[in-house]
Amino acid sequence: MTQARQAHGSSPDAAAPRAIVIGGGIAGLVAARELSLTGHRVDVFEASPRFGGCVGSHEVAGLVLDAGAESFALRNTAVADLAADLGLAEAITRPHAAASWLYHAPAETGKRPAARAQPLPATAILGIPADPRADDVKAVIGTAGSVRAAADLAMPVTRRQATEPISLGELVHARMGQAVLEHLVTPIVAGVHSADPSTLDADTVAPGLRAAMAKHHSLARAVASLKASAPAGSAVGGLTGGMHRLVTALVAELAGDGVGLHPGSRVASIAAEAGADGGWRVVVDGRASSEQADRLIIATPGPAAVDLLSAVLPDAAALRPATGHGIALATLVVDQPELDEAPRGTGLLVAPGTVGVTAKALTHGTAKWEWLADEAGPGTHVLRLSYGRLSDAPGAVPADDQALRDVAIADASALLGTELTAADVVGWDVVRYDAALPFATTGHRDRVAAFRTAVAAHPGLEVVGAWLAGTGLASVVADARARTAITAS
Ligand SMILES: Cc1cc2nc3c(=O)[nH]c(=O)nc-3n(C[C@H](O)[C@H](O)[C@H](O)COP(=O)(O)OP(=O)(O)OC[C@H]3O[C@@H](n4cnc5c(N)ncnc54)[C@H](O)[C@@H]3O)c2cc1C
């Protein structure tokens, strides 16, 4: 059934099919918008008190900052198109072009080298260099590491490397050796995915890389070709005022279009209705009667989605993804004019195991985003430190927020090479995400395909979100929009 696209602001027809979206993160909100635009009566049930999931805001020292995602990849136009549809085209902006840095104990400087900060190689994907012999690569991994990495240019690509399920760590180690894996790829992957590359599915975290490797007979040349075909300019964009504006605008549009928005409403269970017409029943915590829907979109994280579907797709239990890793973000707003020079570009990634720093990454927000520097004013800086690696010793990341703030001040001093004290801090906040990032272990892509085949056997049902689409707003928005459009038609 194809529904006429509904004009914004008009109430849905009472006879229109009813759709329920479970989970009000960006995937669920995008799905709700698609369903509303195709004439459905839509309700969104969100477990937490606010919409947006990993995209949200908080106020620190009078500045409204992103509490989660703060940028989006420009490899597709999904987020920019959505922002434009929501009237935010003018707000789309690019980060400052300065390099990201790496904080690590460099290779080849003795038995126990002191940690130091170095710019990351300019041309790379997830730390995999396009030119293993480049000076900025040698500076990080040393001459011996560079020679070993360059062997990739001559070695034949094995069948295992080209086609069998393989982790990113195994692939990089086999092609370019330990130094690239340890000093370049692991810090970046740990920063982006909160996981070790040896546990992550290469095809999920670096789509297209293996196909390009098979074509060009080298991992380095694959990186070079993908970088060459990427649009010029920075790889990410943001929104002036913060990415949370996307959620605010989406929620406002949905409310205006008569979509039922239900924060604080956790869905406890779902069931398929018997009969030829099908349909779904949804039980919401605290509601006496269940809700009926013709279309059902599940937009929760993976483990919750598989659990909700256990009665409908019992076999899917075997495809339940590993629970992601918890993350803590410590944001410091500091008065420290020495940071006006952006001593470490837009921020640093920290190599796992680097002694003396607990953080895995630092984003220098006021060096990265011009709008934020303007809002903060000269001499005032926004620093966001992220914590939480699988390899952390128990208790390494303090559970107490004040204690984590103190660790963050010490870490920021070491990472930026600028002494900061509690007296410099004019505001701070800690935001914690439990099991936030989906964990795409080796073989993930095949499990996603199997799961989607199982879902496709149930008309009116769709499952969206980062655990299937891949982490990041570009993947999540594009996928949620495309999949819901199919279900809605
Ligand atoms: C700290 C952090 C920083 C990030 N930074 C970036 C970035 O800069 N750029 C980028 O592109 N990506 C970034 N990401 C990743 C990106 O934010 C996510 O991939 C994306 O937001 C995931 O959206 P989602 O809707 O799939 O899931 P979520 O945002 O996790 O939303 C799922 C929602 O489902 C709800 N829910 C769960 N169970 C139930 C239930 N039973 N009933 C009802 N509701 C339920 C949850 O409360 C949640 O709101 C970041 C992620 C984190 C955690």
Side-chain angles (χ1 to χ4, degrees):
M1 177 187 11
T2 305
Q3 301 293 321
R5 268 180 109 75
Q6 189 194 323
H8 288 305
S10 61
S11 293
D13 179 351
R18 182 166 186 225
I20 286 182
V21 179
I22 306 176
I26 196 78
L29 295 175
V30 166
R33 182 170 188 271
E34 261 333 287
L35 289 160
S36 171
L37 288 173
T38 46
H40 292 75
R41 290 176 296 136
V42 188
D43 285 279
V44 187
F45 293 101
E46 163 56 43
S48 79
R50 62 154 193 94
F51 288 94
C54 299
V55 187
S57 66
H58 59 161
E59 196 179 316
V60 189
L63 297 167
V64 179
L65 305 170
D66 281 315
E70 45 115 45
S71 63
F72 58 94
L74 293 170
R75 66 174 173 275
N76 64 28
T77 61
V79 179
D81 290 348
L82 177 64
D85 286 356
L86 295 167
L88 292 170
E90 299 288 300
I92 295 173
T93 184
R94 301 281 175 104
H96 196 271
S100 294
W101 288 54
L102 175 67
Y103 191 77
H104 73 146
E108 292 190 329
T109 53
K111 260 194 160 175
R112 279 188 172 275
R116 66 170 143 118
Q118 291 177 299
L120 276 166
T123 314
I125 290 177
L126 287 175
I128 306 167
D131 179 1
R133 300 188 187 106
D135 288 344
D136 58 3
V137 175
K138 268 189 209 155
V140 175
I141 63 171
T143 308
S146 161
V147 169
R148 166 62 189 90
D152 159 75
L153 299 163
M155 275 193 300
V157 174
T158 65
R159 198 162 60 94
R160 170 154 182 74
Q161 292 166 5
T163 54
E164 290 176 16
I166 192 168
S167 75
L168 186 72
E170 183 184 339
L171 182 67
V172 170
H173 190 268
R175 300 294 317 171
M176 293 192 170
Q178 181 63 21
V180 169
L181 178 60
E182 185 180 333
H183 292 277
L184 291 173
V185 176
T186 300
I188 294 184
V189 167
V192 177
H193 294 281
S194 283
D196 187 280
S198 65
T199 63
L200 294 178
D201 188 52
D203 294 330
T204 306
V205 294
L209 187 61
R210 284 212 294 170
M213 182 180 75
K215 184 170 168 204
H216 298 284
H217 311 292
S218 145
L219 189 56
R221 283 194 290 267
V223 170
S225 78
L226 292 181
K227 292 299 275 188
S229 60
S234 62
V236 298
L239 290 180
T240 300
M243 282 312 296
H244 56 270
R245 291 185 65 198
L246 194 68
V247 168
T248 309
L250 257 173
V251 168
E253 187 191 284
L254 293 175
D257 287 350
V259 170
L261 295 165
H262 310 279
S265 303
R266 196 186 78 90
V267 170
S269 65
I270 62 163
E273 284 190 314
D277 291 344
W280 302 90
R281 294 223 78 91
V282 171
V283 176
V284 181
D285 269 350
R287 294 195 179 203
S289 58
S290 63
E291 308 282 328
Q292 189 280 334
D294 305 294
R295 312 253 187 281
L296 179 62
I297 310 283
I298 301 183
T300 66
V306 171
D307 292 349
L308 282 171
L309 284 163
S310 58
V312 181
L313 301 175
D315 294 346
L319 306 170
R320 194 178 195 275
T323 301
H325 200 49
I327 298 172
L329 295 181
T331 297
L332 307 173
V333 178
V334 298
D335 270 346
Q336 178 47 272
E338 275 180 47
L339 297 179
D340 289 355
E341 298 302 315
R344 301 291 189 253
T346 54
L348 309 91
L349 293 159
V350 182
T354 307
V355 176
V357 170
T358 310
K360 59 179 187 161
L362 178 150
T363 303
H364 188 166
T366 33
K368 186 169 182 179
W369 304 108
E370 199 178 335
W371 64 266
L372 189 51
D374 290 345
E375 281 191 18
T380 300
H381 290 271
V382 177
L383 309 174
R384 183 163 98 162
L385 295 102
S386 53
Y387 291 86
R389 304 181 197 276
L390 282 178
S391 55
D392 283 339
V397 179
D400 175 68
D401 288 353
Q402 180 89 29
L404 184 57
R405 182 205 74 151
D406 294 343
V407 170
I409 295 171
D411 285 353
S413 299
L415 293 171
L416 295 167
T418 304
E419 186 62 23
L420 296 169
T421 68
D424 300 322
V425 177
V426 293
W428 64 280
D429 192 23
V430 168
V431 180
R432 293 178 196 266
Y433 293 86
D434 293 332
L437 295 177
F439 206 48
T441 49
T442 312
H444 181 76
R445 214 171 61 143
D446 295 342
R447 288 193 295 277
V448 166
F451 183 79
R452 287 196 144 155
T453 304
V455 169
H458 294 267
L461 175 68
E462 192 50 270
V463 186
V464 295
W467 72 286
L468 295 170
T471 294
L473 301 177
S475 305
V476 174
V477 170
D479 181 79
R481 214 165 183 176
R483 298 211 158 254
T484 313
I486 296 168
T487 312
S489 61

